[in-house]
Amino acid sequence: MKTKVLGKDFKVSAIGLGCMGMTHGFGDAANPDEMIEVIRGAYQAGITMFDTAECYQGVGVDGQILYNEDLVGTALSIYPRDSYQIATKCGIKVVNNEQVLDARPEVIRASLAGSLKRLKTDYVDLYYLHRVDPNTPIETVAMVMKELMVEGKIKHWGLSEAGIETIKKAHAICPLTVVESEYSMIFREPENNGLLKTLQELQIGFVPFAPLGKGFLTGTIASNQSFPANDTRSKQPRFKKKNMQANQILIDLIEKIATKKQATPAQIALAWVMAQGDYIVPI
């Protein structure tokens, strides 16, 4: 597996594994034992960066809350700690099954303590503010992250789905290593809103999530497919029947290239994202 450097010195595999869908987001939670084996299989294949979050929670078959961080921590605990990187997130609390933004300093510290316990580690390689909390100045968040770095509890920090001005303000207080946001062949917003240009200028790494278009770019989703209510795609316009039919032209192009390259559509979609810059590592 090739490696890339995000920010100034955060060395990771050229592609990471996003673990969210293992517990929620795309339907019912998957079998925990099977997901642990998926994570270990990714590690054995050369992937070293694993992305999770405090709020990635689902309900297991026993009716108990299944924390994504528990899966990641259990799966990776059998390997040397310095051989992989864990990225997790704070700033979204699950209250009465609803996600609530809360980035107060004391909440961030409490969240990190819980994450470290579930991840079975004493530090996190990359700690994100999951979403910007309008009630907490980003400068305050940056100061807390700086303190946590000094304390050795986190090595790097990042922002997820933040605006350009917010990124600049945060970076001025405590340099960001990474920004995470959606980016793929079907979602090109970071090119159009100035995000990629800003990250290059500030020497901040970029971690695109959903590089496979939430499954659409794999060519395995039928244009008339429906999604259960607990699948986020059921609420997204791009997964409405008429839009999937309109976007089939992109799938046809990807499949044509895949056939020529003797690859899968998923490999082509991932390769496209990875080729957009040395500072880009998709999950």
Side-chain angles (χ1 to χ4, degrees):
M1 175 71 71
K2 294 181 179 179
T3 60
K4 289 187 176 181
V5 176
L6 299 176
K8 292 183 178 180
D9 58 0
F10 187 38
K11 186 177 180 180
V12 297
S13 52
I15 187 170
L17 181 66
C19 301
M20 182 192 79
M22 297 178 179
T23 51
H24 86 291
F26 298 104
D28 295 335
N31 180 287
D33 292 333
E34 292 180 2
M35 294 302 98
I36 287 171
E37 289 308 308
V38 168
I39 294 170
R40 289 176 178 169
Y43 175 90
Q44 291 159 13
I47 288 177
T48 65
M49 185 171 70
F50 298 84
D51 184 280
T52 182
E54 176 188 29
C55 72
Y56 292 168
Q57 304 172 18
V59 179
V61 293
D62 57 0
Q64 299 298 309
I65 294 178
L66 182 62
Y67 289 94
N68 199 273
E69 290 176 324
D70 274 329
L71 292 181
V72 175
T74 298
L76 297 176
S77 63
I78 64 173
Y79 303 117
R81 182 62 184 89
D82 62 357
S83 67
Y84 58 86
Q85 302 85 42
I86 294 176
T88 192
K89 309 177 189 76
C90 63
I92 299 180
K93 307 294 289 186
V94 178
V95 181
N96 297 324
N97 294 320
E98 296 291 333
Q99 293 189 347
V100 178
L101 298 180
D102 195 339
R104 290 174 294 168
E106 64 271 24
V107 173
I108 290 177
R109 285 185 170 276
S111 292
L112 179 58
S115 292
L116 292 175
K117 183 176 180 180
R118 288 186 290 272
L119 291 166
K120 300 171 178 58
T121 183
D122 55 5
Y123 70 91
V124 168
D125 300 274
L126 175 59
Y127 202 41
Y128 288 103
L129 178 67
H130 207 158
R131 292 291 185 277
V132 175
D133 175 8
N135 295 317
T136 304
I138 196 63
E139 293 89 345
T140 300
V141 174
M143 284 301 301
V144 175
M145 295 297 184
K146 180 181 286 189
E147 292 169 3
L148 293 173
M149 291 171 70
V150 172
E151 294 165 19
K153 295 178 181 178
I154 68 175
K155 289 192 173 183
H156 303 269
W157 86 291
L159 292 174
S160 178
E161 298 217 65
I164 291 174
E165 291 307 310
T166 299
I167 291 169
K168 290 179 178 179
K169 289 178 182 178
H171 190 67
I173 300 294
C174 183
L176 290 157
T177 295
V178 170
V179 166
E180 180 176 315
S181 195
E182 184 174 1
Y183 185 47
S184 69
M185 293 179 79
I186 200 170
F187 187 85
R188 308 282 288 273
E189 186 78 8
E191 296 175 4
N192 303 322
N193 64 11
L195 177 61
L196 295 187
K197 181 181 178 182
T198 297
L199 297 182
Q200 287 179 286
E201 290 175 348
L202 298 178
Q203 294 185 304
I204 299 172
F206 183 43
V207 172
F209 70 79
L212 296 176
K214 302 180 180 178
F216 184 72
L217 299 179
T218 65
T220 60
I221 296 178
S223 60
N224 62 349
Q225 184 170 329
S226 59
F227 302 91
N230 61 352
D231 189 318
T232 58
R233 292 173 292 187
S234 67
K235 305 174 183 65
Q236 296 173 353
R238 81 179 73 164
F239 288 100
K240 299 300 181 183
K241 182 178 179 180
K242 64 177 182 179
N243 293 331
M244 287 198 291
Q245 290 176 337
N247 288 326
Q248 183 62 38
I249 187 172
L250 176 57
I251 301 303
D252 294 341
L253 173 62
I254 293 173
E255 290 180 338
K256 181 179 180 180
I257 297 172
T259 298
K260 182 178 180 181
K261 297 291 184 178
Q262 296 184 314
T264 66
Q267 287 174 315
I268 297 302
L270 285 173
W272 182 90
V273 174
M274 295 167 72
Q276 301 310 304
D278 290 336
Y279 64 102
I280 297 176
V281 174
I283 54 171

